[in-house]
Amino acid sequence: MIQHVENPVLEIHDLTVTYNKKPVLWGIDLTLPAGSLVGIIGPNGAGKSTLIKSVMGLVPSGSGYVRVFDKTLDESRGRISYVPQRESVDWDFPASALDIVLMGRYGKLGLFKRPRKADYEVAEDCLRKVGMEGFKNRQISQLSGGQQQRVFLARALAQEADLYFMDEPFAGVDASTEKAIIQLLREMTQKGKTVIVVHHDLQSATKYFNWIILLNMRLVASGPVETAFTEALLQETYGGKLTLLSDVSDLVQKNQFPSREK
Amino acid sequence: MESFIEFFSFTNPNVRYVTLGCILLSVSSAVVGSFTFLKKRALVGDAVAHSVLPGVCLAFILSGTKNPVYLIIGAFITAWISLLFIDLVTKRSKIKEDTAISITLSVFFGLGIMLLTMIQHSGNASQSGLDSFLFGKAAALIGTDLYVFGGVAFILLFVVGLFFKEFTLIAFDTHFAQVIGLPVKRIEFVLTTLTVLAVVVGIQAVGVVLMAAMLITPPAAARFWTDSLRKMLVIAACLGAFAGLSGAYISYIAPSMPTGPWIVMVISFIAVLSFLLAPQKGILFKWLKQRKIRQTILEENILKAFFLLGEREKNFYQTLGIERILEKRHFPLGALKKTLPILRFQGYLKKVGNEWQLTQAGFHKGQRVVKLHRLWELYLTEYLHIAPDHVHDDAETIEHIISPEIEKQLEKKLNYPTLDPHQSEIPYR
């Protein structure tokens, strides 16, 4: 069940990703409509994070291409934002919450330019949107997990992008933060922004998203939540791990095979 | 004292040169090293420092002079090769980064020592002094050398200022920098180049072996004193400057003392002091805080004992001797004897003859502790479903930490209860 759309925000064409020579994603082919709130869902090790990292060019792809707003990735950098997993950085870094949010402005500022007054105002406004205005001068290690996640979100907001990638933004956050974040994401998509979220929890998936991508090393489904989030497809994603596929992956890695004949 | 004035009047041009050189080198390596430190690349800094030695020797063999410009170029080339080598080994083999770093460090350093020995036995008259690259020789920082190294130090500080925003972002979150379109590879190239340059000029003062200390120790010490990156850079630079000045001064008053190792000793001593004394993060601060907490707990427990005894005898303002207090609850005798006068000084107790009596303030304080104890016990049984005979020990600690705000929440949540799980009355003020 893979539904394609006209004028996609994001087009992934036949994307294959290898990790240490081991194929982790096979031939992903999908398109996403503007203004959707997309959930990428699949079991552990399905390659959910790898998919978005590869789309953003953080992980090299073996084959295929990605087009964002019908342009190449590098032409669209200014319109893309990223919320990495919270554990991916060292929170003991000497910086305040406001310092981190200001980093969201760096792409717009360009090299060598210092943040201007307007950038500070945008950053503070973004902190307010995530309910963290009272913590702007707090050292980031003294924030709770949920607060740190909010700071990351504020940093992405400060970028004023059109396409957002978020890697497990609900992992390890308190219930009120989760509620605040999803509320914010909905408002963003209502304004025509597209948000793609790597998500772990099946329970909340139908409530949160209007577009679902089911992933388990290969693309199982991509479409509106009503058509893509069905029991049969979930069964295929979670129950039916293709043993043969992972065996071949292991074999490719063991023999150091190239992922494509050149 | 005389030598102190002589040194700090800087009338001797040699003193002026050496001191200025030491300060410049220490400051620039501290500032550049701050980013190495934040990126957790301290070991790489050490490997780079050792890898400049073969470059310096090769440059000397090829050019036949000790012209610092040639030496810098040579050092620069081998330092870069070592970095590429580390990268290559980590990427292309199963060898992990730490192993790759130590292999690279020893291979390049061994090569350097080999070349150095060859030069020393070649009979080349102008080679004398080249071995000072091993442990540094700040006293040789005079004349044109100083201008070259001083110039490089200024360039380093200038470029760090220019790239401050980019270096910070990359040190904190490389992936994010990449996604928003920063040329991460090129900026990292600039940062690594700065590190190599800092090492090349720094080894003039302290030598390759001790260079890592110049890069890493000042920021590590500075980190204890602040949570702001800007302040950390300034503090690291000041600490580096102080160490450079001290090293120059010590070797001035005691000419047999080497400057470089003394700079490293001073900065290391400052780092140890920071570790011990810094507010919030220092060991001493933590120890004092623990001691204060223990004292608070002891004081509150004594007042609680007075209150509980008063509750039993229905007379809160009876006078009590030390034996009676100890009957109610065991306190270490020495601590009790020391704390009772403290409580009198604070206005919670009165002394009547040889015995002690609660003041009104003391009564309220003891009452509050007992109230919190019983409220917490009730909270544990009602909300966490812990058995009533298991809640006492937990409440013994929590009663001392509950803030007035949480106290209000607790009362409200439990709806102002009158009895605790053991049917003791909860005393309200």
Side-chain angles (χ1 to χ4, degrees), chain A residues 77 82 90 92 94-95 103 106 110-114 139 155 159, chain B residues 38 40 161 163 165-166 169 172-173 176 178-180 223 227 229:
Chain A
R77 287 277 182 212
Y82 176 38
D90 176 10
D92 203 26
M103 288 177 179
Y106 288 6
L111 291 176
F112 313 135
K113 298 218 181 61
R114 298 193 175 276
Q139 210 272 320
R155 180 177 71 169
Q159 228 179 308
Chain B
L38 289 174
K40 307 192 170 52
F163 279 94
K165 168 173 125 267
E166 285 76 18
L169 177 52
F172 177 65
D173 191 347
F176 185 77
Q178 224 171 320
V179 169
I180 65 173
R223 183 68 185 88
D227 279 332
L229 180 54

PDB file of all heavy atoms in Angstrom, chain A residues 77 82 90 92 94-95 103 106 110-114 139 155 159, chain B residues 38 40 161 163 165-166 169 172-173 176 178-180 223 227 229:
ATOM      1  N   ARG A  77      18.391  23.330   1.498  1.00  0.00           N
ATOM      2  CA  ARG A  77      18.855  23.296   2.895  1.00  0.00           C
ATOM      3  C   ARG A  77      18.153  24.312   3.786  1.00  0.00           C
ATOM      4  O   ARG A  77      17.820  24.029   4.922  1.00  0.00           O
ATOM      5  CB  ARG A  77      20.361  23.541   2.952  1.00  0.00           C
ATOM      6  CG  ARG A  77      21.192  22.373   2.469  1.00  0.00           C
ATOM      7  CD  ARG A  77      21.389  21.355   3.557  1.00  0.00           C
ATOM      8  NE  ARG A  77      22.226  20.249   3.127  1.00  0.00           N
ATOM      9  CZ  ARG A  77      22.093  19.010   3.562  1.00  0.00           C
ATOM     10  NH1 ARG A  77      21.148  18.726   4.442  1.00  0.00           N
ATOM     11  NH2 ARG A  77      22.889  18.060   3.135  1.00  0.00           N
ATOM     12  N   TYR A  82      15.742  19.995  11.487  1.00  0.00           N
ATOM     13  CA  TYR A  82      16.001  18.665  12.034  1.00  0.00           C
ATOM     14  C   TYR A  82      15.989  18.736  13.552  1.00  0.00           C
ATOM     15  O   TYR A  82      16.610  19.612  14.154  1.00  0.00           O
ATOM     16  CB  TYR A  82      17.369  18.193  11.524  1.00  0.00           C
ATOM     17  CG  TYR A  82      17.858  16.865  12.056  1.00  0.00           C
ATOM     18  CD1 TYR A  82      17.003  15.792  12.276  1.00  0.00           C
ATOM     19  CD2 TYR A  82      19.218  16.682  12.317  1.00  0.00           C
ATOM     20  CE1 TYR A  82      17.487  14.582  12.732  1.00  0.00           C
ATOM     21  CE2 TYR A  82      19.708  15.466  12.777  1.00  0.00           C
ATOM     22  CZ  TYR A  82      18.831  14.419  12.987  1.00  0.00           C
ATOM     23  OH  TYR A  82      19.312  13.227  13.448  1.00  0.00           O
ATOM     24  N   ASP A  90      25.842  16.131  23.877  1.00  0.00           N
ATOM     25  CA  ASP A  90      26.282  16.182  25.265  1.00  0.00           C
ATOM     26  C   ASP A  90      25.640  17.402  25.924  1.00  0.00           C
ATOM     27  O   ASP A  90      25.984  18.533  25.604  1.00  0.00           O
ATOM     28  CB  ASP A  90      27.810  16.294  25.298  1.00  0.00           C
ATOM     29  CG  ASP A  90      28.327  16.451  26.713  1.00  0.00           C
ATOM     30  OD1 ASP A  90      27.527  16.278  27.653  1.00  0.00           O
ATOM     31  OD2 ASP A  90      29.521  16.742  26.881  1.00  0.00           O
ATOM     32  N   ASP A  92      25.973  18.529  28.768  1.00  0.00           N
ATOM     33  CA  ASP A  92      26.827  19.243  29.702  1.00  0.00           C
ATOM     34  C   ASP A  92      27.587  20.382  29.006  1.00  0.00           C
ATOM     35  O   ASP A  92      28.423  21.030  29.597  1.00  0.00           O
ATOM     36  CB  ASP A  92      27.811  18.255  30.343  1.00  0.00           C
ATOM     37  CG  ASP A  92      28.311  18.771  31.673  1.00  0.00           C
ATOM     38  OD1 ASP A  92      27.581  19.553  32.303  1.00  0.00           O
ATOM     39  OD2 ASP A  92      29.428  18.407  32.077  1.00  0.00           O
ATOM     40  N   PRO A  94      28.695  23.891  27.711  1.00  0.00           N
ATOM     41  CA  PRO A  94      28.474  25.189  28.360  1.00  0.00           C
ATOM     42  C   PRO A  94      27.619  26.123  27.516  1.00  0.00           C
ATOM     43  O   PRO A  94      28.139  26.943  26.771  1.00  0.00           O
ATOM     44  CB  PRO A  94      29.897  25.740  28.540  1.00  0.00           C
ATOM     45  CG  PRO A  94      30.701  25.058  27.495  1.00  0.00           C
ATOM     46  CD  PRO A  94      30.094  23.715  27.282  1.00  0.00           C
ATOM     47  N   ALA A  95      26.307  25.995  27.620  1.00  0.00           N
ATOM     48  CA  ALA A  95      25.410  26.866  26.864  1.00  0.00           C
ATOM     49  C   ALA A  95      24.088  26.972  27.606  1.00  0.00           C
ATOM     50  O   ALA A  95      23.725  26.069  28.354  1.00  0.00           O
ATOM     51  CB  ALA A  95      25.180  26.294  25.466  1.00  0.00           C
ATOM     52  N   MET A 103      21.004  28.801  17.791  1.00  0.00           N
ATOM     53  CA  MET A 103      21.688  28.013  16.763  1.00  0.00           C
ATOM     54  C   MET A 103      20.767  27.775  15.562  1.00  0.00           C
ATOM     55  O   MET A 103      21.230  27.595  14.441  1.00  0.00           O
ATOM     56  CB  MET A 103      22.136  26.668  17.329  1.00  0.00           C
ATOM     57  CG  MET A 103      23.298  26.789  18.294  1.00  0.00           C
ATOM     58  SD  MET A 103      23.745  25.208  19.000  1.00  0.00           S
ATOM     59  CE  MET A 103      25.119  25.705  20.043  1.00  0.00           C
ATOM     60  N   TYR A 106      21.439  30.153  12.752  1.00  0.00           N
ATOM     61  CA  TYR A 106      22.760  30.211  12.117  1.00  0.00           C
ATOM     62  C   TYR A 106      22.694  29.980  10.605  1.00  0.00           C
ATOM     63  O   TYR A 106      23.449  30.601   9.859  1.00  0.00           O
ATOM     64  CB  TYR A 106      23.714  29.194  12.741  1.00  0.00           C
ATOM     65  CG  TYR A 106      24.186  29.545  14.132  1.00  0.00           C
ATOM     66  CD1 TYR A 106      23.662  30.638  14.811  1.00  0.00           C
ATOM     67  CD2 TYR A 106      25.156  28.781  14.775  1.00  0.00           C
ATOM     68  CE1 TYR A 106      24.079  30.950  16.086  1.00  0.00           C
ATOM     69  CE2 TYR A 106      25.586  29.097  16.054  1.00  0.00           C
ATOM     70  CZ  TYR A 106      25.043  30.173  16.705  1.00  0.00           C
ATOM     71  OH  TYR A 106      25.463  30.474  17.967  1.00  0.00           O
ATOM     72  N   GLY A 110      24.307  32.863   7.964  1.00  0.00           N
ATOM     73  CA  GLY A 110      25.488  32.700   7.122  1.00  0.00           C
ATOM     74  C   GLY A 110      26.757  32.810   7.939  1.00  0.00           C
ATOM     75  O   GLY A 110      26.729  33.149   9.124  1.00  0.00           O
ATOM     76  N   LEU A 111      27.865  32.524   7.282  1.00  0.00           N
ATOM     77  CA  LEU A 111      29.149  32.490   7.978  1.00  0.00           C
ATOM     78  C   LEU A 111      29.527  33.852   8.547  1.00  0.00           C
ATOM     79  O   LEU A 111      29.190  34.891   7.984  1.00  0.00           O
ATOM     80  CB  LEU A 111      30.246  32.025   7.023  1.00  0.00           C
ATOM     81  CG  LEU A 111      30.179  30.556   6.570  1.00  0.00           C
ATOM     82  CD1 LEU A 111      31.261  30.283   5.553  1.00  0.00           C
ATOM     83  CD2 LEU A 111      30.303  29.620   7.746  1.00  0.00           C
ATOM     84  N   PHE A 112      30.256  33.823   9.655  1.00  0.00           N
ATOM     85  CA  PHE A 112      30.907  34.974  10.278  1.00  0.00           C
ATOM     86  C   PHE A 112      29.954  36.024  10.850  1.00  0.00           C
ATOM     87  O   PHE A 112      30.386  36.941  11.513  1.00  0.00           O
ATOM     88  CB  PHE A 112      31.853  35.711   9.314  1.00  0.00           C
ATOM     89  CG  PHE A 112      32.761  34.795   8.555  1.00  0.00           C
ATOM     90  CD1 PHE A 112      32.969  34.959   7.212  1.00  0.00           C
ATOM     91  CD2 PHE A 112      33.403  33.751   9.209  1.00  0.00           C
ATOM     92  CE1 PHE A 112      33.814  34.112   6.516  1.00  0.00           C
ATOM     93  CE2 PHE A 112      34.239  32.904   8.520  1.00  0.00           C
ATOM     94  CZ  PHE A 112      34.445  33.081   7.173  1.00  0.00           C
ATOM     95  N   LYS A 113      28.657  35.924  10.598  1.00  0.00           N
ATOM     96  CA  LYS A 113      27.765  36.976  11.102  1.00  0.00           C
ATOM     97  C   LYS A 113      27.282  36.612  12.495  1.00  0.00           C
ATOM     98  O   LYS A 113      26.931  35.472  12.755  1.00  0.00           O
ATOM     99  CB  LYS A 113      26.568  37.139  10.162  1.00  0.00           C
ATOM    100  CG  LYS A 113      26.968  37.564   8.770  1.00  0.00           C
ATOM    101  CD  LYS A 113      25.966  38.553   8.204  1.00  0.00           C
ATOM    102  CE  LYS A 113      26.336  38.984   6.800  1.00  0.00           C
ATOM    103  NZ  LYS A 113      26.357  37.841   5.866  1.00  0.00           N
ATOM    104  N   ARG A 114      27.251  37.578  13.360  1.00  0.00           N
ATOM    105  CA  ARG A 114      26.741  37.324  14.710  1.00  0.00           C
ATOM    106  C   ARG A 114      25.223  37.483  14.712  1.00  0.00           C
ATOM    107  O   ARG A 114      24.680  38.228  13.911  1.00  0.00           O
ATOM    108  CB  ARG A 114      27.353  38.322  15.690  1.00  0.00           C
ATOM    109  CG  ARG A 114      28.834  38.142  15.722  1.00  0.00           C
ATOM    110  CD  ARG A 114      29.516  38.853  16.856  1.00  0.00           C
ATOM    111  NE  ARG A 114      30.914  38.478  16.814  1.00  0.00           N
ATOM    112  CZ  ARG A 114      31.391  37.366  17.362  1.00  0.00           C
ATOM    113  NH1 ARG A 114      30.595  36.554  18.014  1.00  0.00           N
ATOM    114  NH2 ARG A 114      32.664  37.073  17.270  1.00  0.00           N
ATOM    115  N   GLN A 139      21.307  26.807  32.340  1.00  0.00           N
ATOM    116  CA  GLN A 139      22.290  25.936  31.699  1.00  0.00           C
ATOM    117  C   GLN A 139      21.573  24.658  31.255  1.00  0.00           C
ATOM    118  O   GLN A 139      20.744  24.117  31.989  1.00  0.00           O
ATOM    119  CB  GLN A 139      23.410  25.610  32.682  1.00  0.00           C
ATOM    120  CG  GLN A 139      24.753  25.356  32.020  1.00  0.00           C
ATOM    121  CD  GLN A 139      24.960  23.924  31.614  1.00  0.00           C
ATOM    122  OE1 GLN A 139      24.580  23.056  32.340  1.00  0.00           O
ATOM    123  NE2 GLN A 139      25.558  23.681  30.463  1.00  0.00           N
ATOM    124  N   ARG A 155      14.571  25.226  18.828  1.00  0.00           N
ATOM    125  CA  ARG A 155      15.666  25.484  17.905  1.00  0.00           C
ATOM    126  C   ARG A 155      15.218  25.232  16.461  1.00  0.00           C
ATOM    127  O   ARG A 155      15.521  26.024  15.560  1.00  0.00           O
ATOM    128  CB  ARG A 155      16.856  24.591  18.249  1.00  0.00           C
ATOM    129  CG  ARG A 155      18.043  24.791  17.333  1.00  0.00           C
ATOM    130  CD  ARG A 155      19.221  23.957  17.722  1.00  0.00           C
ATOM    131  NE  ARG A 155      19.015  22.533  17.452  1.00  0.00           N
ATOM    132  CZ  ARG A 155      19.986  21.621  17.507  1.00  0.00           C
ATOM    133  NH1 ARG A 155      21.199  21.986  17.867  1.00  0.00           N
ATOM    134  NH2 ARG A 155      19.733  20.364  17.255  1.00  0.00           N
ATOM    135  N   GLN A 159      14.303  28.125  13.060  1.00  0.00           N
ATOM    136  CA  GLN A 159      14.824  28.056  11.703  1.00  0.00           C
ATOM    137  C   GLN A 159      13.810  28.535  10.681  1.00  0.00           C
ATOM    138  O   GLN A 159      14.166  28.848   9.558  1.00  0.00           O
ATOM    139  CB  GLN A 159      15.158  26.599  11.433  1.00  0.00           C
ATOM    140  CG  GLN A 159      16.498  26.392  10.834  1.00  0.00           C
ATOM    141  CD  GLN A 159      16.723  24.927  10.643  1.00  0.00           C
ATOM    142  OE1 GLN A 159      16.566  24.139  11.585  1.00  0.00           O
ATOM    143  NE2 GLN A 159      17.055  24.534   9.446  1.00  0.00           N
TER     144      GLN A 159
ATOM    145  N   LEU B  38      35.975  20.667  24.012  1.00  0.00           N
ATOM    146  CA  LEU B  38      34.523  20.493  23.923  1.00  0.00           C
ATOM    147  C   LEU B  38      34.146  19.400  22.930  1.00  0.00           C
ATOM    148  O   LEU B  38      33.111  18.760  23.070  1.00  0.00           O
ATOM    149  CB  LEU B  38      33.857  21.807  23.521  1.00  0.00           C
ATOM    150  CG  LEU B  38      33.860  22.875  24.606  1.00  0.00           C
ATOM    151  CD1 LEU B  38      33.321  24.179  24.048  1.00  0.00           C
ATOM    152  CD2 LEU B  38      33.035  22.434  25.795  1.00  0.00           C
ATOM    153  N   LYS B  40      35.760  16.792  22.633  1.00  0.00           N
ATOM    154  CA  LYS B  40      36.288  15.567  23.243  1.00  0.00           C
ATOM    155  C   LYS B  40      37.380  14.958  22.373  1.00  0.00           C
ATOM    156  O   LYS B  40      37.429  13.749  22.152  1.00  0.00           O
ATOM    157  CB  LYS B  40      35.171  14.559  23.496  1.00  0.00           C
ATOM    158  CG  LYS B  40      34.020  15.159  24.285  1.00  0.00           C
ATOM    159  CD  LYS B  40      33.067  14.123  24.767  1.00  0.00           C
ATOM    160  CE  LYS B  40      32.070  14.698  25.739  1.00  0.00           C
ATOM    161  NZ  LYS B  40      31.377  15.895  25.271  1.00  0.00           N
ATOM    162  N   GLY B 161      37.782  34.044  16.787  1.00  0.00           N
ATOM    163  CA  GLY B 161      36.751  35.063  16.930  1.00  0.00           C
ATOM    164  C   GLY B 161      35.807  35.064  15.735  1.00  0.00           C
ATOM    165  O   GLY B 161      34.585  35.125  15.876  1.00  0.00           O
ATOM    166  N   PHE B 163      35.168  32.584  13.600  1.00  0.00           N
ATOM    167  CA  PHE B 163      34.384  31.358  13.447  1.00  0.00           C
ATOM    168  C   PHE B 163      33.697  30.928  14.747  1.00  0.00           C
ATOM    169  O   PHE B 163      33.246  29.797  14.850  1.00  0.00           O
ATOM    170  CB  PHE B 163      35.292  30.207  12.992  1.00  0.00           C
ATOM    171  CG  PHE B 163      35.582  30.202  11.517  1.00  0.00           C
ATOM    172  CD1 PHE B 163      36.711  30.817  11.013  1.00  0.00           C
ATOM    173  CD2 PHE B 163      34.718  29.571  10.631  1.00  0.00           C
ATOM    174  CE1 PHE B 163      36.989  30.806   9.657  1.00  0.00           C
ATOM    175  CE2 PHE B 163      34.984  29.562   9.275  1.00  0.00           C
ATOM    176  CZ  PHE B 163      36.127  30.179   8.788  1.00  0.00           C
ATOM    177  N   LYS B 165      30.866  31.286  16.257  1.00  0.00           N
ATOM    178  CA  LYS B 165      29.515  30.733  16.151  1.00  0.00           C
ATOM    179  C   LYS B 165      29.546  29.347  15.504  1.00  0.00           C
ATOM    180  O   LYS B 165      28.909  28.414  15.986  1.00  0.00           O
ATOM    181  CB  LYS B 165      28.722  31.749  15.332  1.00  0.00           C
ATOM    182  CG  LYS B 165      27.412  31.360  14.837  1.00  0.00           C
ATOM    183  CD  LYS B 165      26.772  32.594  14.208  1.00  0.00           C
ATOM    184  CE  LYS B 165      26.327  32.387  12.796  1.00  0.00           C
ATOM    185  NZ  LYS B 165      27.147  32.685  11.688  1.00  0.00           N
ATOM    186  N   GLU B 166      30.296  29.201  14.422  1.00  0.00           N
ATOM    187  CA  GLU B 166      30.332  27.932  13.692  1.00  0.00           C
ATOM    188  C   GLU B 166      31.022  26.845  14.523  1.00  0.00           C
ATOM    189  O   GLU B 166      30.530  25.720  14.610  1.00  0.00           O
ATOM    190  CB  GLU B 166      31.060  28.115  12.357  1.00  0.00           C
ATOM    191  CG  GLU B 166      30.236  28.843  11.300  1.00  0.00           C
ATOM    192  CD  GLU B 166      30.162  30.342  11.542  1.00  0.00           C
ATOM    193  OE1 GLU B 166      31.003  30.865  12.307  1.00  0.00           O
ATOM    194  OE2 GLU B 166      29.254  30.997  10.982  1.00  0.00           O
ATOM    195  N   LEU B 169      28.656  25.587  17.260  1.00  0.00           N
ATOM    196  CA  LEU B 169      27.589  24.700  16.787  1.00  0.00           C
ATOM    197  C   LEU B 169      28.140  23.321  16.438  1.00  0.00           C
ATOM    198  O   LEU B 169      27.559  22.290  16.795  1.00  0.00           O
ATOM    199  CB  LEU B 169      26.885  25.322  15.576  1.00  0.00           C
ATOM    200  CG  LEU B 169      25.792  24.469  14.925  1.00  0.00           C
ATOM    201  CD1 LEU B 169      24.786  24.004  15.958  1.00  0.00           C
ATOM    202  CD2 LEU B 169      25.086  25.239  13.833  1.00  0.00           C
ATOM    203  N   PHE B 172      28.872  21.310  19.444  1.00  0.00           N
ATOM    204  CA  PHE B 172      27.685  20.842  20.172  1.00  0.00           C
ATOM    205  C   PHE B 172      26.899  19.801  19.377  1.00  0.00           C
ATOM    206  O   PHE B 172      26.508  18.769  19.920  1.00  0.00           O
ATOM    207  CB  PHE B 172      26.780  22.029  20.510  1.00  0.00           C
ATOM    208  CG  PHE B 172      25.497  21.628  21.195  1.00  0.00           C
ATOM    209  CD1 PHE B 172      25.516  21.059  22.451  1.00  0.00           C
ATOM    210  CD2 PHE B 172      24.260  21.808  20.567  1.00  0.00           C
ATOM    211  CE1 PHE B 172      24.349  20.676  23.083  1.00  0.00           C
ATOM    212  CE2 PHE B 172      23.093  21.430  21.199  1.00  0.00           C
ATOM    213  CZ  PHE B 172      23.137  20.866  22.465  1.00  0.00           C
ATOM    214  N   ASP B 173      26.663  20.048  18.098  1.00  0.00           N
ATOM    215  CA  ASP B 173      25.756  19.191  17.336  1.00  0.00           C
ATOM    216  C   ASP B 173      26.111  19.247  15.846  1.00  0.00           C
ATOM    217  O   ASP B 173      25.563  20.042  15.089  1.00  0.00           O
ATOM    218  CB  ASP B 173      24.317  19.681  17.567  1.00  0.00           C
ATOM    219  CG  ASP B 173      23.278  18.711  17.043  1.00  0.00           C
ATOM    220  OD1 ASP B 173      23.665  17.795  16.301  1.00  0.00           O
ATOM    221  OD2 ASP B 173      22.100  18.879  17.370  1.00  0.00           O
ATOM    222  N   PHE B 176      23.197  18.663  13.174  1.00  0.00           N
ATOM    223  CA  PHE B 176      22.312  19.801  12.957  1.00  0.00           C
ATOM    224  C   PHE B 176      22.991  20.824  12.048  1.00  0.00           C
ATOM    225  O   PHE B 176      22.375  21.367  11.126  1.00  0.00           O
ATOM    226  CB  PHE B 176      21.938  20.433  14.297  1.00  0.00           C
ATOM    227  CG  PHE B 176      20.940  21.547  14.183  1.00  0.00           C
ATOM    228  CD1 PHE B 176      19.600  21.267  13.979  1.00  0.00           C
ATOM    229  CD2 PHE B 176      21.333  22.871  14.255  1.00  0.00           C
ATOM    230  CE1 PHE B 176      18.675  22.282  13.869  1.00  0.00           C
ATOM    231  CE2 PHE B 176      20.418  23.896  14.144  1.00  0.00           C
ATOM    232  CZ  PHE B 176      19.093  23.604  13.947  1.00  0.00           C
ATOM    233  N   GLN B 178      25.138  20.292   9.797  1.00  0.00           N
ATOM    234  CA  GLN B 178      25.133  19.773   8.435  1.00  0.00           C
ATOM    235  C   GLN B 178      23.766  19.977   7.776  1.00  0.00           C
ATOM    236  O   GLN B 178      23.678  20.384   6.624  1.00  0.00           O
ATOM    237  CB  GLN B 178      25.445  18.283   8.506  1.00  0.00           C
ATOM    238  CG  GLN B 178      26.425  17.792   7.491  1.00  0.00           C
ATOM    239  CD  GLN B 178      26.810  16.359   7.796  1.00  0.00           C
ATOM    240  OE1 GLN B 178      26.993  15.997   8.958  1.00  0.00           O
ATOM    241  NE2 GLN B 178      26.905  15.541   6.782  1.00  0.00           N
ATOM    242  N   VAL B 179      22.703  19.697   8.546  1.00  0.00           N
ATOM    243  CA  VAL B 179      21.362  19.780   7.975  1.00  0.00           C
ATOM    244  C   VAL B 179      21.012  21.217   7.587  1.00  0.00           C
ATOM    245  O   VAL B 179      20.401  21.447   6.556  1.00  0.00           O
ATOM    246  CB  VAL B 179      20.313  19.213   8.960  1.00  0.00           C
ATOM    247  CG1 VAL B 179      18.908  19.532   8.497  1.00  0.00           C
ATOM    248  CG2 VAL B 179      20.497  17.712   9.108  1.00  0.00           C
ATOM    249  N   ILE B 180      21.426  22.191   8.402  1.00  0.00           N
ATOM    250  CA  ILE B 180      21.056  23.565   8.058  1.00  0.00           C
ATOM    251  C   ILE B 180      21.988  24.144   7.000  1.00  0.00           C
ATOM    252  O   ILE B 180      21.880  25.313   6.649  1.00  0.00           O
ATOM    253  CB  ILE B 180      20.990  24.497   9.285  1.00  0.00           C
ATOM    254  CG1 ILE B 180      22.374  24.669   9.931  1.00  0.00           C
ATOM    255  CG2 ILE B 180      19.996  24.004  10.296  1.00  0.00           C
ATOM    256  CD1 ILE B 180      22.372  25.707  11.026  1.00  0.00           C
ATOM    257  N   ARG B 223      36.266  25.296  32.761  1.00  0.00           N
ATOM    258  CA  ARG B 223      34.904  24.763  32.717  1.00  0.00           C
ATOM    259  C   ARG B 223      34.284  24.691  34.112  1.00  0.00           C
ATOM    260  O   ARG B 223      33.067  24.772  34.266  1.00  0.00           O
ATOM    261  CB  ARG B 223      34.933  23.374  32.058  1.00  0.00           C
ATOM    262  CG  ARG B 223      33.584  22.703  31.868  1.00  0.00           C
ATOM    263  CD  ARG B 223      32.754  23.441  30.844  1.00  0.00           C
ATOM    264  NE  ARG B 223      31.416  22.889  30.728  1.00  0.00           N
ATOM    265  CZ  ARG B 223      30.391  23.277  31.485  1.00  0.00           C
ATOM    266  NH1 ARG B 223      30.580  24.201  32.401  1.00  0.00           N
ATOM    267  NH2 ARG B 223      29.191  22.761  31.328  1.00  0.00           N
ATOM    268  N   ASP B 227      29.346  28.302  33.212  1.00  0.00           N
ATOM    269  CA  ASP B 227      28.511  27.521  32.308  1.00  0.00           C
ATOM    270  C   ASP B 227      28.322  28.235  30.984  1.00  0.00           C
ATOM    271  O   ASP B 227      27.478  27.847  30.189  1.00  0.00           O
ATOM    272  CB  ASP B 227      27.139  27.265  32.943  1.00  0.00           C
ATOM    273  CG  ASP B 227      27.203  26.110  33.912  1.00  0.00           C
ATOM    274  OD1 ASP B 227      28.050  25.220  33.724  1.00  0.00           O
ATOM    275  OD2 ASP B 227      26.416  26.097  34.874  1.00  0.00           O
ATOM    276  N   LEU B 229      30.017  29.569  27.437  1.00  0.00           N
ATOM    277  CA  LEU B 229      31.176  29.279  26.589  1.00  0.00           C
ATOM    278  C   LEU B 229      32.092  30.491  26.442  1.00  0.00           C
ATOM    279  O   LEU B 229      33.311  30.384  26.510  1.00  0.00           O
ATOM    280  CB  LEU B 229      30.697  28.791  25.218  1.00  0.00           C
ATOM    281  CG  LEU B 229      31.791  28.442  24.232  1.00  0.00           C
ATOM    282  CD1 LEU B 229      32.759  27.439  24.814  1.00  0.00           C
ATOM    283  CD2 LEU B 229      31.201  27.872  22.956  1.00  0.00           C
TER     284      LEU B 229
END
